Amino acid sequence: RETQYQSILGFAIIDMMQGILSRRGQATLSFIFLVSGVILQIAVAGSVVTYFLSSSKFSERLVLRALAAAQAGIRDAQLRIARDNNYATTGQIIYSFKVGKDSVNVVVSRSVDNVNNVYIYTISATGVASFRKRKLVGTIIANQTTGLLQLKSIEEHPT
């Protein structure tokens, strides 16, 4: 009889252990579902943020800000040339400055046209707004004798 009770008791203990183990499995499965849900929500939120950052209206606004910064760079270089007719006599002059939250990098170079008695300045300004860039290249002609400046062209170039 004792062996019979022991075997019944053994089966009861085994059944109880299997119940506990199966409940642990259920808890583990619930935890996995919870973690998966959180990861899925983070991925969806990241996708939505990425979409809005690259959406046309936001992107268009950044492009316009970058273009405005590049235009400010062209105008700044034009003022520097107007103040000093012998600006950029050797090589290139490179400088940058901030326009609000945006920035602009400016490169000014000069060539001499002795036949027409003029300096030809080439200004390259790259405006940067967040992750968008726009580059403008302007040409200014300065008379060597009178100092008269003429803005010949401003063109947008790919960055």
Side-chain angles (χ1 to χ4, degrees), residues 57-121:
K57 288 185 180 182
F58 183 71
S59 182
E60 184 177 330
R61 193 176 319 150
L62 288 177
V63 167
L64 290 175
R65 283 178 33 195
L67 188 60
Q71 287 173 343
I74 295 283
R75 299 300 179 202
D76 182 74
Q78 188 176 10
L79 284 173
R80 290 177 187 222
I81 293 168
R83 289 181 187 145
D84 181 10
N85 202 19
N86 289 318
Y87 191 70
T89 55
T90 58
Q92 296 180 334
I93 294 180
I94 301 170
Y95 64 95
S96 61
F97 60 93
K98 291 284 217 182
V99 180
K101 294 180 183 178
D102 309 324
S103 64
V104 61
N105 300 319
V106 181
V107 178
V108 180
S109 62
R110 180 181 93 169
S111 60
V112 180
D113 182 0
N114 288 326
V115 175
N116 295 320
N117 197 30
V118 294
Y119 297 128
I120 301 170
Y121 290 95

Side-chain angles (χ1 to χ4, degrees), residues 34 55 75 92 135:
L34 177 69
S55 70
R75 299 300 179 202
Q92 296 180 334
K135 180 179 182 180

Side-chain angles (χ1 to χ4, degrees), residues 122-150:
T122 304
I123 305 164
S124 174
T126 305
V128 180
S130 188
F131 54 89
R132 297 290 185 194
K133 292 183 180 181
R134 282 294 176 261
K135 180 179 182 180
L136 294 177
V137 176
T139 305
I140 294 178
I141 298 174
N143 190 307
Q144 292 179 8
T145 308
T146 63
L148 177 68
L149 293 181
Q150 289 179 312

